[in-house]
Amino acid sequence: PKNQDLVSADMPRHVRGICRAVRSGGEKEVEDEIDCFITNIRQSCLSRNRSIFHIQNLILNVMKELDAAALDETEIFRQERELLNKVYDKDRLSEIKTELTSFCMELARSFRDEKDSYCKSQAIRALDYIEEHYREDVTLNSVCSHLAMSTSYFSSIFKTYTGLTFIEALTRKRIEKAK
């Protein structure tokens, strides 16, 4: 019971760490966080059933915390159910770790793809705004206000997806239209 209490006490930290790693899309981070959790389980010397209970609890809490509503819910929740069942079928923690890591990596890829898609669409919306308003007094702030984004975040994604700064894109559009 004392060892179980240690795993339970560390659960919120593990959930936060795995969620942070999944949201950031960092595969190395995901691996490290899961490795830390599995090491904690292993060092606690719990029975197989208690270990499985904690692992399933972690999975459910991660899914609750991530609230993967922006992702393909049907597929994600199908994979979650499969993982919860696979945990029971595995005999070794290393096998469970592999399954858990694989699932969390897929979640991280889904979050990364969703973020990339959103950022790309915002960059395209900004280019469309420039196209429609290049004759006016277009500013970084006016575009960001239109997109409901901070100027620093917008500048970062715009440069990433267009290869240009906002001013470079606006200037190019004005020169192109002047010809």
Side-chain angles (χ1 to χ4, degrees):
K2 189 172 187 176
N3 289 338
Q4 179 184 334
D5 290 343
L6 292 175
V7 174
S8 295
D10 285 341
M11 186 64 73
R13 180 176 56 85
H14 290 300
V15 169
R16 279 191 311 274
I18 290 171
C19 288
R20 184 177 49 252
V22 165
R23 282 189 188 110
S24 75
E27 293 186 2
K28 176 78 169 105
E29 275 183 80
V30 169
E31 287 178 9
D32 290 347
E33 290 294 337
I34 291 172
D35 188 51
C36 181
F37 172 70
I38 294 297
T39 298
N40 190 319
I41 294 278
R42 187 173 282 124
Q43 290 174 346
S44 297
C45 301
L46 298 173
S47 70
R48 180 182 186 282
N49 286 341
R50 289 317 272 156
S51 295
I52 288 172
F53 168 80
H54 285 294
I55 292 164
Q56 288 185 324
N57 189 22
L58 174 93
I59 294 165
L60 294 171
N61 278 299
V62 164
M63 291 301 291
K64 179 182 172 193
E65 181 74 22
L66 288 174
D67 188 14
L71 305 177
D72 178 6
E73 282 186 29
T74 307
E75 179 62 18
I76 295 295
F77 290 119
R78 183 191 63 74
Q79 290 176 0
E80 176 193 19
R81 277 191 315 276
E82 282 180 13
L83 177 61
L84 290 168
N85 290 329
K86 284 179 183 178
V87 166
Y88 272 121
D89 295 338
K90 302 299 178 187
D91 293 324
R92 304 180 57 119
L93 270 177
S94 61
E95 295 171 325
I96 293 171
K97 178 182 168 186
T98 300
E99 293 293 337
L100 183 57
T101 301
S102 177
F103 175 75
C104 288
M105 294 286 203
E106 184 58 36
L107 277 178
R109 278 188 287 279
S110 295
F111 269 90
R112 195 171 47 241
D113 291 350
E114 184 69 26
K115 183 179 175 185
D116 284 349
S117 176
Y118 169 76
C119 292
K120 185 176 181 181
S121 74
Q122 290 296 78
I124 290 168
R125 287 183 62 211
L127 289 170
D128 290 345
Y129 185 86
I130 290 170
E131 176 73 31
E132 293 174 25
H133 299 278
Y134 71 91
R135 289 184 199 97
E136 303 166 19
D137 184 26
V138 179
T139 65
L140 179 62
N141 285 335
S142 66
V143 172
C144 291
S145 176
H146 173 73
L147 298 174
M149 297 179 81
S150 74
T151 56
S152 60
Y153 185 57
F154 168 77
S155 296
S156 172
I157 66 165
F158 190 79
K159 176 78 173 177
T160 299
Y161 288 93
T162 66
L164 302 169
T165 65
F166 165 74
I167 294 298
E168 290 169 339
L170 179 59
T171 302
R172 278 191 184 182
K173 181 55 66 181
R174 286 176 172 164
I175 290 171
E176 172 189 315
K177 295 295 185 176
K179 291 181 180 179

